[in-house]
Amino acid sequence: MLITAGYAITARTNVFVQAWDFVWDYPGMLLATAGTALLILVVATSIRRARRRLRYESWHLLHLYGYLGVGLAIPHMLWTGADFTASAGATFYWWALWAVTAACVLWFRVAVPLLRSARHGLRVVAVAPDGRDGISVRVAGRDVHRLRARAGQFFIWRFLDGPGWTRGHPFSLAADPAGDELVISARRIGDGTDRLAELRPGTRVMVEGPYGHMTGERRSGSRLLMLGAGAGVAPLVALLESEPYAPGEAILVTRDHSAAHGLRRAEIDRLAMSRGLVHYTLHGRRADAGTTWVPASHAEWDGARLLQRIAGDLSLYDVYLCGPLPWMQSIRRDLRTAGVPAERIHSEAFAV
């Protein structure tokens, strides 16, 4: 905008006339303008308020236009930029740099997932309900352990079950991936998650990943305090299955609308029986004021004291959080107030 204003002042013309002249008469500017509009669209639809109004599938499709926007902006820079037009070496260098970048995107976002999925032969082996509105999917294949997935991480999943399979969905692992099977568990909140319930055994699966840093490798304390809300409970259960701890040294606090909505309840009960997991539930409508990570019926409780009451000496614990971002922010504030160091708080935002 400043360049346009400067040219308009020099030419003693209206800034809008000058902008029109740039777009229509300069090489590549029309493409660059379209690219800029696409990038603005991606930013605008990623603002939290706008994001909430969009289905994940719609947001994901719009987000992909960011690649097109960048691609459309490149020719203008290389065709009219003085640094490029005056030097064949500079032009070659930047064309080569952009070509390598495009090749990396195609390799890591397209080729690697295709090759990896084909090598491991991932397929759906079972689909089952998980709570009132949840669904659990088990996926198996060849040498799945070579994916090097760790409990607490997630993949971008694509199920080759018909039209729309190209849309990827981020789902965390809901069980310890130590064997040749991967398990996900999700709440049915949209077209993508509803579609999980319609999967059939034998459906081929493509994955990108694993991604995420909420793993046991970040643990430094002797005990575990896990706090999960909704579908955020799933990766915490995977961590509890994979991490070592003595009976009574791991605490899981789950937050749902009701007990019937809880995911991975059978696995949680099994961990309580076999490994001595301590499980507390906080069910009910979320509080709008006060301690907002607890149910509204307990909003007057002091969050920091409640955490100390649940766990005792918090200095012994690593704390893992997974759930909606505002919910985690509320807990994180109370954990810091209770004296838990920031490096002992590990989290993964759960938003689909």
Side-chain angles (χ1 to χ4, degrees):
M1 292 178 64
L2 293 177
I3 291 176
T4 303
Y7 270 78
I9 293 171
T10 301
R12 296 183 179 181
T13 186
N14 184 283
V15 67
F16 295 104
V17 173
Q18 184 64 63
W20 182 267
D21 180 60
F22 277 156
V23 171
W24 285 103
D25 295 337
Y26 277 63
M29 274 299 294
L30 189 59
L31 294 176
T33 302
T36 301
L38 290 174
L39 292 175
I40 292 173
L41 175 66
V42 170
V43 172
T45 55
S46 296
I47 296 172
R48 184 176 298 174
R49 181 172 295 181
R51 173 69 182 88
R52 289 173 178 168
R53 296 176 178 271
L54 291 171
R55 297 182 306 143
Y56 172 79
E57 295 79 11
S58 300
W59 175 85
H60 185 266
L61 180 61
L62 290 171
H63 201 72
L64 292 177
Y65 281 111
Y67 291 112
L68 180 58
V70 172
L72 291 175
I74 294 172
H76 157 66
M77 293 186 290
L78 300 177
W79 291 343
T80 62
D83 293 335
F84 306 126
T85 56
S87 171
T91 300
F92 174 80
Y93 171 78
W94 281 102
W95 272 113
L97 194 63
W98 283 109
V100 169
T101 302
C104 288
V105 170
L106 291 173
W107 174 253
F108 289 106
R109 295 301 303 271
V110 179
V112 169
L114 284 171
L115 294 172
R116 181 178 291 173
S117 299
R119 180 177 65 185
H120 294 289
L122 299 175
R123 293 181 181 270
V124 174
V125 295
V127 179
D130 191 357
R132 175 184 292 179
D133 53 6
I135 198 75
S136 176
V137 181
R138 290 169 46 212
V139 174
R142 298 182 298 272
D143 299 324
V144 174
H145 64 278
R146 295 183 63 182
L147 288 170
R148 298 180 181 178
R150 295 183 60 84
Q153 292 186 308
F154 66 94
F155 287 88
I156 305 297
W157 301 80
R158 291 177 174 86
F159 298 93
L160 280 64
D161 58 345
W165 69 266
T166 55
R167 292 191 290 268
H169 294 269
F171 295 123
S172 296
L173 295 172
D176 182 8
D180 281 341
E181 185 174 274
L182 303 175
V183 180
I184 60 173
S185 187
R187 179 159 289 168
R188 300 176 62 176
I189 57 173
D191 292 349
T193 46
D194 285 344
R195 191 166 178 168
L196 295 178
E198 301 173 1
L199 293 173
R200 296 290 180 263
T203 301
R204 295 186 66 86
V205 182
M206 288 178 55
V207 294
E208 289 181 49
Y211 302 119
H213 56 267
M214 192 183 69
T215 66
E217 292 179 342
R218 305 188 67 190
R219 180 181 175 187
S220 58
S222 60
R223 300 190 176 196
L224 293 169
L225 174 59
M226 308 289 205
L227 300 109
V233 172
L236 301 183
V237 172
L239 280 163
L240 288 166
E241 291 179 344
S242 66
E243 287 299 300
Y245 52 87
E249 291 187 348
I251 300 172
L252 173 65
V253 180
T254 57
R255 174 83 174 81
D256 277 296
H257 296 299
S258 68
H261 287 90
L263 299 180
R264 313 303 287 166
R265 289 305 302 271
E267 289 71 20
I268 292 171
D269 291 343
R270 176 177 54 78
L271 287 168
M273 291 291 295
S274 64
R275 300 194 57 187
L277 171 68
V278 179
H279 179 212
Y280 298 109
T281 60
L282 294 172
H283 298 320
R285 185 179 63 83
R286 181 183 170 189
D288 297 322
T291 304
T292 58
W293 59 272
V294 301
S297 57
H298 300 79
E300 298 303 317
W301 290 2
D302 181 275
R305 290 185 179 180
L306 174 59
L307 290 165
Q308 292 168 333
R309 181 72 177 269
I310 289 173
D313 185 0
L314 285 169
S315 67
L316 301 174
Y317 289 83
D318 275 274
V319 184
Y320 287 79
L321 310 176
C322 194
L325 189 57
W327 182 83
M328 289 196 299
Q329 290 172 336
S330 176
I331 297 182
R332 187 181 293 272
R333 285 193 296 268
D334 286 338
L335 285 167
R336 299 291 289 124
T337 300
V340 180
E343 61 271 17
R344 286 283 189 93
I345 304 174
H346 320 297
S347 64
E348 194 77 74
F350 189 88
V352 173

